[in-house]
Amino acid sequence: MATYAEANGGAFGMAASDWAEWVLRGDQTSSSFFAGAGTGTAVGDGWTAVNAFLAGSMMKTLTDVELRERLGTYVAPTGLHHHIKSLPFLGSLSSNISSLTAGEWTEVKITYTVGGSGLADGAWIKGTFKFYSDWALFQTSDYTGDNYVSAEYQAGPLVSGQTPATAQELAVRFDQKGHERPFQKAVIIDIIDGYMNPGDQIVVRLGDRRFGAKGTRTQTFVEDDFRMRWYIDPVGSSRFEAIKPDLVFDIHSGPINHLKAHSPRLVTPGTPFPIYVHARDLWGNVTTNQEGLSLKLTIFNDTDQKQSPVIAEATMISSVGWTHAAFKSVVLKDEGDYTIEFILKSLKRNSEYSTREPISVSTSSLVPRTLFADLHVHSNDTVGTNNSEYKFSYAQKIAGLDIVGYTANDFNITAAKWESTLSLIHTINQEGEFIVFPGTEWCGNSAVGGDHNVVFLDDPVTNPPEFPLDRQGNVARSFEWNEDGPAELQPGAWPLDELYATYAHSPETHLLIPQVGGRRCNLGWHHPRLERLLEIGSAWGQFEWLLQDAVKRGWKMGVCANSDEHRGRCGGGVPGTAVFAQQGDEVVFEGENQSATLNYAFFGARGFSSIQAYDASGCIFDRDLQHETAVLSNSTPSSWNTVRITWGGARLYDRYREAVWDGSIQCDRAEILEMQPFGGVSDVPEEAISQIGPQSVAFHTRTSGDFDGVDLAFEAGSHPEKIVIAGKLGGYVKVGDALKGNPHKAQPKFKLEARWDEALKPGGKKIDIKGGANLFVRAEAVPNVTLPKRVEGSLDLVLKRNAGGRDVYFVGREWDGGKVITSPLFFVPS
């Protein structure tokens, strides 16, 4: 590694930097490091020149007198030599913007001025940005449409005798994988049929508005230094060099749109617990620097909210930094169900925002209060947004996390960044208050085991993690491949067997978590002592199928859901679930046959529609709370006048699993009185469910294992004779024209027709869509009842010795897509 781990890369790093500046950019100060002598030069620093060509490889800028003396009589455009020498060799960049509001529509105008190199016929440039950015995909096929990218040639002034440039065309395309990770997404511009002169310009418009379009929809999450890195191949060799410096934009949050509060859902009487609240913009970013805000916290007992609140507090919100507040030691002394309410008032804008969350107090809770952990948190050390310090601060102040698992992509992290973050973790950790576990993401392909997180559970100070080398000096990462990395790709701990071998000597200080992100885990591999948790939910989707696969195989793992958030918002990002982690318990039974009673209690936020239990055979218990509540409320099916339409699942089990739904709902012979959308669509401004006629609704949404839906209510005593849900199903466009979409190959179209009597049946009428992971469309008539947020009950099991045991887990499903999934209980014979 020479001296690259030292500050600025040490002697080797500084020499390499000077070499690049000299040879590629013509920097004369850098050239003197090699060609000169004395202090501050290569020779003065102890380097030895082994090629005399170095001293004369870069010609200096000659004056007119020197040119005449050396060349004698010759012909050249007047003054062009000095003009070329005055320009940066690779050119320069400028932009009309330096700051953006997350998710705004705008036109970004970037001007590239050709450098001293000129651009040959066949040369090309490309503007790249990081692959995890959700900036709207650009397109080049419809100049009147949104997100259109154009490139315009502008000739620079010619000196006497200079020949005009001959380039005939600038061909523009957008490639989602047009460069190297992390700068993968690329706007590519080819120089066609001719060359360009030094000083000429290429004007690139991202979201060209000249033909009536809205522009381009920018990245929807905040980033302190969003970078657009432009590369150039000036001679058409397909070898690129970065044009320095990068274009850097500050992407900040927008105005307040809503409040978000969170606290433990269940506590014991008298136990202090925290409540966190923050204001969000339209896209879910925490707002900042808001003036004149007052906040009121009120907690009511649900049995009688007309009585005086049990807690009432008020505070002013700081006008500097995040718009947030924390109430660290709230105490509720009496058992019962309560509602937490926050009201935020803006004195400056005369506006008000509110939110409510439930909390229950019970002596039956097995712990005083739940702790919150996110064991999969990326920073910009590798593929995340914003630095580790920002992430850990967000975790404490906004997400209200107690435990964080810092996660570095193992092939991407440099040794210097790893050591720096370990030092930061040491300064942040507070025993009993806030703990950060260092960790890596082993990035093997699915064919060799797939993504696995490695969490180092020991104190990183007294027992430093075995990474990037293990205690024997062996490579502990899958491989190393990054911007600063080696010239050759060599495997390290590869395949998964070798990762197991690295840490199997101490399973108590290591936790491996198979997960589904980009390279989904392959449960054909399993180490029972290292792999004790399974990640079944993240920003990448919901993966109940993975838990079912593990149970069928007999693997004894608890479940967790983490953020795996690349947008800088740890503790969130899981569509429709909460962040949780729980190790499964083993229960030993005796005898050939034994019965067992499992008592359960579920606590939700919106109301449970069902409680289900599963074992290796599938669903073994299904408590339909919609019909149960209807019976208790004396609501008969003949009086029901609401239909619930849902659609969901994932297009693939692998990386680009997002399912894109474009459809319509037609209700025959009944006019829609009211509609209520729900699911992930509620959190994404670009997704929509809208009424387009008295009897019809259109929807455009995306799901990744979760579901979206809408409740349609009709006049009392009225209901449609038939409901028709039809449309097209596609996915993320990772290659090609974004406007052409990516149809779901197994079944690009769907259609469900349900009569009212079919919708009235338990579960309604459902169709499964071919391919993918649990893709479905459903129509179900539902009663107009309030579903319970707290459900208790029991399940009787029969355990058989000859069956080898039984593993059972529960799923509590809320009507709007929220869910609670328990770790399995593992019943094993003695």
Side-chain angles (χ1 to χ4, degrees):
M1 291 296 292
T3 63
Y4 291 114
E6 299 176 12
N8 299 316
F12 280 80
M14 289 185 281
S17 177
D18 281 330
W19 173 263
E21 289 293 323
W22 173 30
V23 174
L24 298 175
R25 295 173 65 86
D27 184 79
Q28 295 303 306
T29 301
S30 298
S31 74
S32 65
F33 176 80
F34 296 96
T39 304
T41 67
V43 174
D45 287 354
W47 293 89
T48 300
V50 295
N51 189 341
F53 174 73
L54 292 177
S57 64
M58 195 75 181
M59 183 171 285
K60 69 176 184 178
T61 302
L62 300 175
T63 66
D64 289 338
V65 173
E66 290 172 321
L67 285 170
R68 286 194 298 271
E69 289 177 348
R70 294 195 184 192
L71 303 179
T73 302
Y74 81 106
V75 177
T78 304
L80 185 57
H81 169 264
H82 294 295
H83 177 56
I84 290 174
K85 288 291 188 175
S86 71
L87 296 173
F89 186 69
L90 299 180
S92 60
L93 295 159
S94 63
S95 173
N96 66 324
I97 59 105
S98 60
S99 180
L100 293 165
T101 301
E104 74 168 290
W105 285 88
T106 190
E107 179 186 271
V108 179
K109 183 178 176 182
I110 296 168
T111 302
Y112 168 67
T113 301
V114 181
S117 66
L119 293 180
D121 186 348
W124 42 326
I125 64 173
K126 52 185 173 181
T128 68
F129 55 102
K130 293 186 177 180
F131 79 99
Y132 59 72
S133 174
D134 68 348
W135 197 304
L137 295 180
F138 295 116
Q139 56 92 8
T140 57
S141 57
D142 180 7
Y143 65 89
T144 66
D146 296 332
N147 301 301
Y148 180 72
V149 181
S150 66
E152 178 184 0
Y153 168 70
Q154 293 184 352
L158 298 174
V159 300
S160 177
Q162 184 179 7
T163 304
T166 60
Q168 301 295 303
E169 180 187 358
L170 298 178
V172 187
R173 52 198 164 101
F174 175 65
D175 189 339
Q176 291 89 314
K177 302 183 73 175
H179 196 67
E180 296 179 19
R181 178 172 171 158
F183 291 94
Q184 254 179 324
K185 293 179 178 176
V187 173
I188 300 171
I189 302 167
D190 291 284
I191 315 304
I192 305 294
D193 293 343
Y195 68 87
M196 291 179 62
N197 282 319
D200 288 351
Q201 292 185 330
I202 297 175
V203 179
V204 181
R205 290 179 172 86
L206 308 178
D208 195 331
R209 285 176 160 173
R210 292 176 299 171
F211 309 103
K214 290 189 296 184
T216 180
R217 198 269 292 140
T218 62
Q219 179 175 296
T220 68
F221 53 93
V222 300
E223 188 167 7
D224 292 337
D225 57 349
F226 173 90
R227 290 182 178 272
M228 191 168 221
R229 181 164 296 170
W230 286 77
Y231 292 88
I232 183 171
D233 165 22
V235 295
S237 66
S238 294
R239 182 170 181 174
F240 288 88
E241 178 65 22
I243 304 168
K244 297 181 180 179
D246 295 339
L247 291 177
V248 179
F249 310 140
D250 165 50
I251 301 181
H252 55 83
S253 57
I256 297 174
N257 179 265
H258 60 279
L259 287 184
K260 176 63 178 177
H262 51 96
S263 71
R265 180 63 180 84
L266 178 65
V267 297
T268 56
T271 297
F273 63 91
I275 308 176
Y276 298 86
V277 63
H278 62 271
R280 292 180 171 182
D281 68 8
L282 183 65
W283 293 96
N285 301 295
V286 184
T287 61
T288 59
N289 304 329
Q290 303 287 319
E291 298 180 349
L293 296 178
S294 65
L295 179 71
K296 183 179 179 181
L297 162 66
T298 308
I299 301 180
F300 298 93
N301 190 310
D302 287 353
T303 57
D304 191 355
Q305 293 194 13
K306 294 181 180 180
Q307 291 184 356
S308 298
V310 294
I311 290 177
E313 296 186 28
T315 187
M316 296 296 294
I317 302 295
S318 172
S319 61
V320 178
W322 286 321
T323 310
H324 76 108
F327 299 80
K328 291 294 186 69
S329 296
V330 181
V331 174
L332 293 172
K333 297 180 180 180
D334 300 323
E335 284 196 280
D337 295 318
Y338 297 82
T339 295
I340 300 169
E341 180 182 66
F342 281 105
I343 297 177
L344 181 71
K345 291 185 177 181
S346 172
L347 306 178
K348 189 174 182 179
R349 293 184 174 84
N350 193 29
S351 54
E352 183 175 297
Y353 311 87
S354 64
T355 187
R356 288 187 165 202
E357 293 292 333
I359 185 170
S360 296
V361 181
S362 175
T363 56
S364 63
S365 176
L366 300 178
V367 294
R369 75 168 180 92
T370 51
L371 299 178
F372 292 94
D374 185 347
L375 297 177
H376 196 163
V377 175
H378 292 288
S379 77
N380 65 3
D381 286 349
T382 52
V383 296
T385 304
N386 297 322
N387 60 37
S388 297
E389 189 171 6
Y390 175 98
K391 283 297 186 73
F392 300 154
S393 179
Y394 188 102
Q396 290 177 280
K397 297 177 180 178
I398 305 301
L401 295 174
D402 303 289
I403 301 163
V404 166
Y406 164 79
T407 307
N409 286 73
D410 72 337
F411 74 93
N412 232 193
I413 188 74
T414 64
K417 289 179 178 178
W418 174 255
E419 291 298 328
S420 175
T421 301
L422 286 183
S423 298
L424 175 62
I425 290 172
H426 174 59
T427 64
I428 286 178
N429 277 350
Q430 295 176 276
E431 194 70 34
E433 292 291 330
F434 181 71
I435 295 295
V436 178
F437 291 113
T440 63
E441 181 174 341
W442 184 82
C443 296
N445 292 327
S446 299
V448 298
D451 283 345
H452 280 64
N453 283 12
V454 180
V455 184
F456 298 103
L457 300 175
D458 225 340
D459 187 332
V461 175
T462 59
N463 189 12
E466 294 182 55
F467 185 87
L469 302 177
D470 69 11
R471 58 181 182 168
Q472 306 297 331
N474 300 311
V475 175
R477 61 169 106 215
S478 53
F479 55 93
E480 184 174 3
W481 196 248
N482 54 52
E483 293 176 282
D484 308 306
E488 294 185 9
L489 180 61
Q490 296 291 338
W494 188 283
L496 183 57
D497 316 59
E498 295 189 10
L499 182 70
Y500 292 156
T502 302
Y503 302 115
H505 67 89
S506 182
E508 66 278 1
T509 61
H510 297 91
L511 170 64
L512 267 61
I513 307 176
Q515 48 106 344
V516 180
R519 299 156 293 268
R520 65 179 169 101
C521 63
N522 187 332
L523 294 186
W525 280 261
H526 179 56
H527 194 291
R529 291 181 299 139
L530 287 170
E531 294 175 339
R532 304 188 293 278
L533 282 180
L534 182 69
E535 186 176 281
I536 60 169
S538 74
W540 294 84
Q542 295 180 16
F543 320 114
E544 275 190 67
W545 55 265
L546 185 67
L547 174 57
Q548 187 64 18
D549 186 13
V551 170
K552 284 183 178 180
R553 293 173 183 268
W555 305 156
K556 296 184 178 354
M557 291 185 282
V559 296
C560 64
N562 302 296
S563 67
D564 193 5
E565 243 276 2
H566 294 235
R567 302 182 179 190
R569 301 186 292 223
C570 56
V574 186
T577 74
V579 177
F580 61 94
Q582 178 187 8
Q583 185 172 336
D585 291 323
E586 189 172 279
V587 181
V588 178
F589 68 91
E590 299 178 352
E592 295 301 317
N593 296 292
Q594 182 175 324
S595 61
T597 299
L598 301 182
N599 297 313
Y600 60 82
F602 283 83
F603 298 84
R606 297 292 298 275
F608 287 102
S609 57
S610 68
I611 304 294
Q612 297 173 326
Y614 294 80
D615 67 6
S617 68
C619 185
I620 59 172
F621 171 75
D622 190 352
R623 182 177 172 186
D624 186 339
L625 291 165
Q626 289 189 142
H627 284 76
E628 182 180 309
T629 306
V631 171
L632 293 174
S633 303
N634 295 318
S635 174
T636 60
S638 62
S639 66
W640 298 357
N641 64 332
T642 299
V643 64
R644 178 164 296 153
I645 311 297
T646 51
W647 55 91
R651 191 178 63 90
L652 298 170
Y653 290 93
D654 295 290
R655 182 189 294 269
Y656 297 99
R657 62 187 57 87
E658 179 182 83
V660 180
W661 303 82
D662 283 287
S664 63
I665 305 166
Q666 183 68 37
C667 301
D668 289 353
R669 300 182 182 277
E671 292 193 359
I672 299 168
L673 182 65
E674 183 182 349
M675 77 167 200
Q676 181 183 8
F678 55 85
V681 63
S682 307
D683 299 318
V684 185
E686 287 182 331
E687 298 181 16
I689 300 175
S690 53
Q691 187 169 346
I692 56 175
Q695 301 173 329
S696 55
V697 168
F699 57 88
H700 170 76
T701 76
R702 293 170 289 185
T703 64
S704 298
D706 56 326
F707 66 77
D708 292 322
V710 60
D711 279 355
L712 303 178
F714 306 93
E715 293 280 358
S718 172
H719 56 73
E721 290 185 4
K722 183 173 68 173
I723 303 129
V724 180
I725 306 112
K728 297 179 180 180
L729 181 62
Y732 178 82
V733 180
K734 63 177 178 179
V735 176
D737 188 348
L739 295 185
K740 293 182 179 179
N742 179 21
H744 180 54
K745 294 179 178 59
Q747 185 180 334
K749 296 182 180 180
F750 59 88
K751 185 175 183 180
L752 167 64
E753 295 186 4
R755 301 187 309 274
W756 186 251
D757 63 304
E758 293 175 311
L760 280 172
K761 295 178 180 179
K765 185 175 182 180
K766 173 190 171 188
I767 59 168
D768 294 317
I769 295 175
K770 298 176 183 177
N774 304 316
L775 290 166
F776 76 94
V777 180
R778 185 195 305 270
E780 179 183 12
V782 295
N784 184 21
V785 294
T786 301
L787 293 172
K789 298 177 184 178
R790 177 175 176 173
V791 179
E792 299 178 26
S794 62
L795 169 64
D796 293 327
L797 291 178
V798 175
L799 308 173
K800 297 182 179 181
R801 176 176 292 275
N802 60 13
R806 196 174 188 184
D807 303 334
V808 179
Y809 64 92
F810 284 82
V811 182
R813 303 187 189 278
E814 295 194 294
W815 67 271
D816 66 342
K819 64 179 71 172
V820 179
I821 303 176
T822 73
S823 287
L825 288 171
F826 307 112
F827 294 94
V828 297
S830 60

Short mmCIF file of all heavy atoms in Angstrom, two decimals, residues 724-754:
data_model
loop_
_atom_site.label_atom_id
_atom_site.label_comp_id
_atom_site.label_asym_id
_atom_site.label_seq_id
_atom_site.Cartn_x
_atom_site.Cartn_y
_atom_site.Cartn_z
N VAL A 724 -63.98 -3.66 -12.00
CA VAL A 724 -62.95 -4.08 -12.95
C VAL A 724 -61.67 -3.30 -12.65
O VAL A 724 -61.67 -2.06 -12.68
CB VAL A 724 -63.38 -3.86 -14.41
CG1 VAL A 724 -62.27 -4.32 -15.36
CG2 VAL A 724 -64.68 -4.60 -14.70
N ILE A 725 -60.59 -4.02 -12.34
CA ILE A 725 -59.28 -3.40 -12.12
C ILE A 725 -58.36 -3.89 -13.23
O ILE A 725 -58.15 -5.11 -13.37
CB ILE A 725 -58.69 -3.76 -10.75
CG1 ILE A 725 -59.67 -3.42 -9.63
CG2 ILE A 725 -57.38 -3.02 -10.51
CD1 ILE A 725 -60.22 -4.64 -8.93
N ALA A 726 -57.83 -2.99 -14.04
CA ALA A 726 -57.02 -3.39 -15.19
C ALA A 726 -55.90 -2.39 -15.39
O ALA A 726 -56.01 -1.21 -15.02
CB ALA A 726 -57.88 -3.49 -16.44
N GLY A 727 -54.81 -2.86 -16.00
CA GLY A 727 -53.71 -1.95 -16.27
C GLY A 727 -52.46 -2.65 -16.74
O GLY A 727 -52.47 -3.82 -17.13
N LYS A 728 -51.34 -1.93 -16.66
CA LYS A 728 -50.04 -2.42 -17.10
C LYS A 728 -49.09 -2.48 -15.91
O LYS A 728 -49.16 -1.66 -15.00
CB LYS A 728 -49.47 -1.50 -18.18
CG LYS A 728 -50.29 -1.43 -19.45
CD LYS A 728 -49.65 -0.48 -20.46
CE LYS A 728 -50.48 -0.41 -21.74
NZ LYS A 728 -49.87 0.53 -22.74
N LEU A 729 -48.19 -3.45 -15.97
CA LEU A 729 -47.21 -3.65 -14.92
C LEU A 729 -45.82 -3.60 -15.53
O LEU A 729 -45.53 -4.27 -16.52
CB LEU A 729 -47.43 -5.00 -14.24
CG LEU A 729 -46.49 -5.37 -13.09
CD1 LEU A 729 -46.62 -4.38 -11.95
CD2 LEU A 729 -46.77 -6.79 -12.61
N GLY A 730 -44.96 -2.77 -14.93
CA GLY A 730 -43.59 -2.63 -15.42
C GLY A 730 -42.61 -2.55 -14.29
O GLY A 730 -42.91 -2.89 -13.14
N GLY A 731 -41.42 -2.07 -14.60
CA GLY A 731 -40.38 -1.97 -13.59
C GLY A 731 -39.44 -0.82 -13.88
O GLY A 731 -39.62 -0.05 -14.83
N TYR A 732 -38.42 -0.72 -13.05
CA TYR A 732 -37.40 0.32 -13.20
C TYR A 732 -36.67 0.14 -14.52
O TYR A 732 -36.33 -0.98 -14.91
CB TYR A 732 -36.43 0.22 -12.03
CG TYR A 732 -35.29 1.22 -12.08
CD1 TYR A 732 -35.46 2.52 -11.63
CD2 TYR A 732 -34.03 0.84 -12.54
CE1 TYR A 732 -34.41 3.43 -11.66
CE2 TYR A 732 -32.98 1.74 -12.56
CZ TYR A 732 -33.17 3.03 -12.13
OH TYR A 732 -32.13 3.92 -12.16
N VAL A 733 -36.42 1.25 -15.21
CA VAL A 733 -35.70 1.19 -16.48
C VAL A 733 -34.21 1.35 -16.20
O VAL A 733 -33.73 2.45 -15.96
CB VAL A 733 -36.19 2.30 -17.44
CG1 VAL A 733 -35.43 2.21 -18.77
CG2 VAL A 733 -37.69 2.19 -17.68
N LYS A 734 -33.49 0.25 -16.21
CA LYS A 734 -32.06 0.32 -15.90
C LYS A 734 -31.20 0.41 -17.16
O LYS A 734 -30.03 0.75 -17.08
CB LYS A 734 -31.63 -0.88 -15.07
CG LYS A 734 -31.77 -2.23 -15.72
CD LYS A 734 -31.24 -3.32 -14.79
CE LYS A 734 -31.43 -4.70 -15.41
NZ LYS A 734 -30.90 -5.76 -14.54
N VAL A 735 -31.78 0.11 -18.31
CA VAL A 735 -31.07 0.22 -19.57
C VAL A 735 -32.04 0.78 -20.61
O VAL A 735 -33.17 0.32 -20.72
CB VAL A 735 -30.53 -1.15 -20.06
CG1 VAL A 735 -29.87 -1.00 -21.42
CG2 VAL A 735 -29.55 -1.73 -19.06
N GLY A 736 -31.61 1.80 -21.36
CA GLY A 736 -32.42 2.30 -22.46
C GLY A 736 -33.26 3.51 -22.12
O GLY A 736 -33.07 4.17 -21.09
N ASP A 737 -34.22 3.79 -22.98
CA ASP A 737 -35.05 4.99 -22.92
C ASP A 737 -36.06 4.89 -21.77
O ASP A 737 -36.91 3.99 -21.74
CB ASP A 737 -35.79 5.15 -24.25
CG ASP A 737 -36.54 6.47 -24.36
OD1 ASP A 737 -36.69 7.16 -23.34
OD2 ASP A 737 -36.98 6.79 -25.48
N ALA A 738 -35.98 5.82 -20.83
CA ALA A 738 -36.87 5.80 -19.67
C ALA A 738 -38.33 5.96 -20.07
O ALA A 738 -39.22 5.46 -19.38
CB ALA A 738 -36.47 6.91 -18.69
N LEU A 739 -38.59 6.65 -21.20
CA LEU A 739 -39.97 6.87 -21.62
C LEU A 739 -40.62 5.60 -22.16
O LEU A 739 -41.84 5.50 -22.21
CB LEU A 739 -40.01 7.96 -22.69
CG LEU A 739 -39.58 9.37 -22.24
CD1 LEU A 739 -39.80 10.36 -23.39
CD2 LEU A 739 -40.36 9.81 -21.01
N LYS A 740 -39.83 4.62 -22.56
CA LYS A 740 -40.40 3.38 -23.10
C LYS A 740 -40.78 2.39 -22.01
O LYS A 740 -41.43 1.39 -22.28
CB LYS A 740 -39.41 2.74 -24.08
CG LYS A 740 -39.20 3.56 -25.34
CD LYS A 740 -38.23 2.86 -26.29
CE LYS A 740 -38.05 3.68 -27.56
NZ LYS A 740 -37.10 3.03 -28.50
N GLY A 741 -40.35 2.67 -20.77
CA GLY A 741 -40.71 1.79 -19.67
C GLY A 741 -39.98 0.46 -19.74
O GLY A 741 -39.13 0.22 -20.61
N ASN A 742 -40.34 -0.42 -18.82
CA ASN A 742 -39.74 -1.75 -18.75
C ASN A 742 -40.85 -2.74 -18.40
O ASN A 742 -41.04 -3.09 -17.24
CB ASN A 742 -38.63 -1.77 -17.70
CG ASN A 742 -37.98 -3.13 -17.56
OD1 ASN A 742 -38.05 -3.97 -18.45
ND2 ASN A 742 -37.35 -3.36 -16.41
N PRO A 743 -41.61 -3.19 -19.38
CA PRO A 743 -42.76 -4.07 -19.10
C PRO A 743 -42.34 -5.34 -18.36
O PRO A 743 -41.29 -5.91 -18.63
CB PRO A 743 -43.30 -4.40 -20.50
CG PRO A 743 -42.81 -3.29 -21.37
CD PRO A 743 -41.47 -2.90 -20.82
N HIS A 744 -43.22 -5.77 -17.43
CA HIS A 744 -43.00 -7.01 -16.70
C HIS A 744 -43.14 -8.17 -17.68
O HIS A 744 -44.22 -8.46 -18.18
CB HIS A 744 -44.03 -7.13 -15.58
CG HIS A 744 -43.91 -8.37 -14.75
ND1 HIS A 744 -42.74 -8.76 -14.15
CD2 HIS A 744 -44.83 -9.32 -14.43
CE1 HIS A 744 -42.93 -9.88 -13.49
NE2 HIS A 744 -44.20 -10.25 -13.64
N LYS A 745 -42.03 -8.83 -17.97
CA LYS A 745 -42.00 -9.79 -19.08
C LYS A 745 -42.96 -10.96 -18.89
O LYS A 745 -43.57 -11.44 -19.83
CB LYS A 745 -40.57 -10.28 -19.29
CG LYS A 745 -39.61 -9.19 -19.77
CD LYS A 745 -38.21 -9.71 -19.93
CE LYS A 745 -37.29 -8.62 -20.47
NZ LYS A 745 -37.24 -7.43 -19.61
N ALA A 746 -43.07 -11.46 -17.66
CA ALA A 746 -43.92 -12.63 -17.43
C ALA A 746 -45.39 -12.33 -17.66
O ALA A 746 -46.15 -13.19 -18.13
CB ALA A 746 -43.71 -13.15 -16.01
N GLN A 747 -45.84 -11.10 -17.35
CA GLN A 747 -47.25 -10.72 -17.53
C GLN A 747 -47.33 -9.20 -17.49
O GLN A 747 -47.52 -8.61 -16.44
CB GLN A 747 -48.14 -11.35 -16.46
CG GLN A 747 -49.63 -11.07 -16.67
CD GLN A 747 -50.51 -11.69 -15.60
OE1 GLN A 747 -50.13 -12.67 -14.97
NE2 GLN A 747 -51.68 -11.10 -15.38
N PRO A 748 -47.21 -8.54 -18.65
CA PRO A 748 -47.17 -7.08 -18.66
C PRO A 748 -48.51 -6.40 -18.42
O PRO A 748 -48.56 -5.21 -18.15
CB PRO A 748 -46.64 -6.75 -20.06
CG PRO A 748 -47.03 -7.94 -20.89
CD PRO A 748 -46.96 -9.11 -19.98
N LYS A 749 -49.61 -7.15 -18.51
CA LYS A 749 -50.94 -6.57 -18.29
C LYS A 749 -51.69 -7.40 -17.25
O LYS A 749 -51.46 -8.60 -17.11
CB LYS A 749 -51.74 -6.52 -19.59
CG LYS A 749 -51.14 -5.61 -20.65
CD LYS A 749 -52.02 -5.58 -21.90
CE LYS A 749 -51.41 -4.66 -22.96
NZ LYS A 749 -52.25 -4.61 -24.19
N PHE A 750 -52.60 -6.74 -16.54
CA PHE A 750 -53.41 -7.44 -15.54
C PHE A 750 -54.86 -6.98 -15.65
O PHE A 750 -55.15 -5.86 -16.09
CB PHE A 750 -52.88 -7.20 -14.12
CG PHE A 750 -52.86 -5.74 -13.72
CD1 PHE A 750 -53.96 -5.14 -13.12
CD2 PHE A 750 -51.73 -4.97 -13.92
CE1 PHE A 750 -53.96 -3.81 -12.75
CE2 PHE A 750 -51.70 -3.63 -13.54
CZ PHE A 750 -52.82 -3.05 -12.96
N LYS A 751 -55.77 -7.88 -15.23
CA LYS A 751 -57.19 -7.53 -15.22
C LYS A 751 -57.92 -8.42 -14.22
O LYS A 751 -57.80 -9.64 -14.27
CB LYS A 751 -57.81 -7.69 -16.61
CG LYS A 751 -59.26 -7.23 -16.69
CD LYS A 751 -59.79 -7.31 -18.11
CE LYS A 751 -61.21 -6.78 -18.21
NZ LYS A 751 -61.72 -6.85 -19.61
N LEU A 752 -58.64 -7.79 -13.31
CA LEU A 752 -59.46 -8.51 -12.34
C LEU A 752 -60.89 -8.00 -12.46
O LEU A 752 -61.13 -6.79 -12.38
CB LEU A 752 -58.95 -8.28 -10.91
CG LEU A 752 -59.88 -8.71 -9.77
CD1 LEU A 752 -60.10 -10.22 -9.79
CD2 LEU A 752 -59.33 -8.28 -8.43
N GLU A 753 -61.84 -8.92 -12.64
CA GLU A 753 -63.26 -8.59 -12.64
C GLU A 753 -63.89 -9.30 -11.44
O GLU A 753 -63.76 -10.52 -11.29
CB GLU A 753 -63.94 -9.04 -13.93
CG GLU A 753 -63.44 -8.31 -15.17
CD GLU A 753 -64.23 -8.67 -16.41
OE1 GLU A 753 -65.23 -9.43 -16.28
OE2 GLU A 753 -63.88 -8.19 -17.50
N ALA A 754 -64.57 -8.54 -10.60
CA ALA A 754 -65.19 -9.13 -9.40
C ALA A 754 -66.62 -8.65 -9.28
O ALA A 754 -66.89 -7.43 -9.27
CB ALA A 754 -64.39 -8.73 -8.16
#
